[in-house]
Amino acid sequence: KYDWTNRAADVATLRRLVQQKPIIVETRYNHNESQVHYVLLVGFTPSGDFLTADPWMGDYVPFTSRFGSAPRWIYSAIEWR
């Protein structure tokens, strides 16, 4: 597990991990610190944003369009072996 609770998420590490396989990340819904939300980073959009599978909404969206800046709004990542 990668923990960025007290600092900006390491986007270079996330990009490396997502190139290998989907990664579960912890974020916050509606920028509400008390609303912990998990999504799956499954790849990249043509513009280079993380393509996000959101189980709550049942769709695929660019991370920034729903959650904002990845370094700010990704708190942790879980890598399945």
Side-chain angles (χ1 to χ4, degrees):
K1 181 177 178 179
Y2 298 84
D3 185 1
W4 297 295
T5 304
N6 297 313
R7 62 186 185 282
D10 183 345
V11 174
T13 296
L14 284 168
R15 287 192 172 284
R16 180 180 49 79
L17 293 171
V18 172
Q19 286 175 345
Q20 298 169 18
K21 58 188 163 192
I23 299 295
I24 300 167
V25 296
E26 174 191 350
T27 187
R28 300 294 184 269
Y29 201 73
N30 289 332
H31 297 166
N32 182 337
E33 293 293 333
S34 67
Q35 262 191 315
V36 175
H37 186 60
Y38 292 90
V39 297
L40 193 62
L41 302 182
V42 297
F44 305 98
T45 66
S47 66
D49 196 352
F50 291 109
L51 181 60
T52 306
D54 187 340
W56 192 356
M57 301 301 283
D59 61 4
Y60 292 83
V61 296
F63 186 88
T64 57
S65 72
R66 181 160 295 155
F67 302 104
S69 166
R72 167 63 182 94
W73 292 104
I74 292 178
Y75 289 78
S76 66
I78 301 168
E79 179 182 15
W80 289 95
R81 307 232 180 252

